[in-house]
Amino acid sequence: MIFPLKKKRGSFEPLDTTEKRIRPHKSLGQNFLSDPALAFRIASMAREAPVFPCRIVEIGPGKGILSGYLATMTADLWLVERDRRLAEPLRTTFSGNSGVRILEADAMELSFGNDRSPYILVSNLPYNISVPLYLKFLASDFPPVFMVLMFQREVAKRLLARTTDPDYGHLSVVTSYLAQIRKRIDLAPGAFYPAPKVHSSVLTVLPLPVQDECTWAAISLSRKLFCYRRKSLGRALRTAFPGEESLADGTFFQSETDFFSRKVDSLSPEDFQELAASIRNHHLPFFDRMAQEGKELLKP
């Protein structure tokens, strides 16, 4: 079901007269959620976190439509807002609430969880940085215990896709390793001001710890090999890693002939981990390099 069911495109009721003077910046990807009922529903999803109540971090609070509900759910709310025009009204709104901390900063440049306090992340992510921010938190040394995130619907499909789905790709593989993810609702453009040209989806995400270096190597291999998704795995490996001696000498491919004849986009996340394990057995230095690159890939 897509919400709202009936909404005049672009309609918006600002929270106060100050906000009427604040116009969205397209360069910052600002599309403000404008439906209080939807905001309440989205904010309430944070209660499903395995640790609750705890600190809540909201990235891009904008005009504070989610923030007001979140402030009733925790005594430790961090609002991270890059746009000074929006940060100042938020300070005024929450001036009487000592449990709300407003950080005027770029979330891509901040570290979270360094004090090891559990935290929940809630965000109407700007579409232009949604994937880098999502990966930043999944790969963090101190990831959130739970996330409630809004994505462009087409991106959400890629995150949720299974092996046989047309949207299946590298992001699907990464998500399968690092999170349990669930789509909750779809939102029509009319739920925002200004109305974007795309639909949105709200996802809940439970980050998972990485226990094996094979996972990081598999992430790197997936990223490189999906550039050749319609090629056989053997051909894709040779194309992606020209000059790699462990692959060029042919002995690596003799162990699993049928496996290497499969198309890259038919490989499941488990298959990429199997490939990483096989590389570790045949050429440890190459494996170590892939594992390190996998960790670096998710950093902003």
Side-chain angles (χ1 to χ4, degrees):
M1 184 175 293
I2 298 177
F3 297 91
L5 297 180
K6 293 183 179 180
K7 184 78 173 178
K8 183 178 178 181
R9 185 176 178 87
S11 63
F12 178 69
E13 289 296 330
L15 299 180
D16 56 44
T17 55
T18 300
E19 292 187 342
K20 290 180 181 179
R21 298 192 297 270
I22 300 175
R23 298 303 178 195
H25 273 169
K26 186 176 181 181
S27 62
L28 297 178
Q30 291 176 339
N31 297 95
F32 302 129
L33 185 65
S34 58
D35 188 318
L38 283 174
F40 174 77
R41 182 174 178 183
I42 293 167
S44 297
M45 294 175 190
R47 297 183 183 276
E48 301 171 15
V51 179
F52 186 87
C54 65
R55 177 181 299 157
I56 298 178
V57 176
E58 183 186 2
I59 293 177
K63 298 187 177 185
I65 191 169
L66 283 171
S67 314
Y69 295 117
L70 295 173
T72 68
M73 298 163 55
T74 179
D76 188 11
L77 174 63
W78 292 14
L79 304 180
V80 183
E81 178 53 64
R82 180 181 175 184
D83 189 343
R84 176 170 296 182
R85 303 171 309 144
L86 298 169
E88 288 303 321
L90 288 170
R91 290 190 179 96
T92 300
T93 299
F94 294 103
S95 60
N97 190 333
S98 61
V100 178
R101 179 181 179 186
I102 297 169
L103 304 176
E104 189 178 318
D106 185 341
M108 294 293 289
E109 300 175 358
L110 291 180
S111 297
F112 298 88
N114 291 342
D115 61 358
R116 297 184 180 271
S117 295
Y119 67 103
I120 299 165
L121 177 67
V122 179
S123 184
N124 170 16
L125 294 171
Y127 291 147
N128 55 347
I129 60 168
S130 62
V131 171
L133 265 175
Y134 166 74
L135 295 177
K136 165 190 167 77
F137 280 97
L138 282 185
S140 168
D141 291 334
F142 306 103
V145 296
F146 195 68
M147 297 191 275
V148 182
L149 303 177
M150 196 178 305
F151 292 93
Q152 181 178 335
R153 188 168 63 179
E154 296 309 309
V155 173
K157 288 180 179 179
R158 292 162 60 197
L159 297 175
L160 292 158
R162 304 291 184 182
T163 309
T164 57
D165 295 338
D167 295 298
Y168 178 71
H170 171 65
L171 278 180
S172 319
V173 173
V174 172
T175 295
S176 72
Y177 295 148
L178 303 184
Q180 292 179 0
I181 189 168
R182 179 184 172 199
K183 186 176 81 168
R184 307 303 298 273
I185 54 175
D186 288 326
L187 302 181
F192 302 88
Y193 173 78
K197 297 179 180 180
V198 296
H199 286 67
S200 305
S201 296
V202 177
L203 308 180
T204 51
V205 182
L206 180 66
L208 301 174
V210 176
Q211 305 291 349
D212 191 342
E213 289 292 294
C214 271
T215 297
W216 295 116
I219 286 172
S220 179
L221 290 166
S222 165
R223 176 67 180 89
K224 293 177 183 297
L225 293 173
F226 265 106
C227 294
Y228 313 98
R229 59 184 302 134
R230 297 305 300 160
K231 288 188 175 183
S232 68
L233 174 58
R235 290 184 61 192
L237 280 165
R238 291 188 177 97
T239 305
F241 304 103
E244 183 60 49
E245 293 182 3
S246 63
L247 305 181
D249 64 12
T251 58
F252 176 63
F253 297 104
Q254 293 174 5
S255 56
E256 297 287 346
T257 304
D258 291 340
F259 183 62
F260 290 113
S261 66
R262 293 172 56 186
K263 294 288 193 294
V264 169
D265 61 3
S266 74
L267 300 179
S268 68
E270 293 76 18
D271 290 329
F272 280 104
Q273 287 181 314
E274 180 183 337
L275 173 63
S278 182
I279 289 174
R280 179 171 58 185
N281 293 335
H282 284 81
H283 190 25
L284 186 58
F286 180 39
F287 170 86
D288 289 341
R289 190 166 74 250
M290 289 296 98
Q292 185 58 40
E293 288 184 9
K295 297 173 186 178
E296 296 296 326
L297 271 175
L298 304 191
K299 294 181 180 179

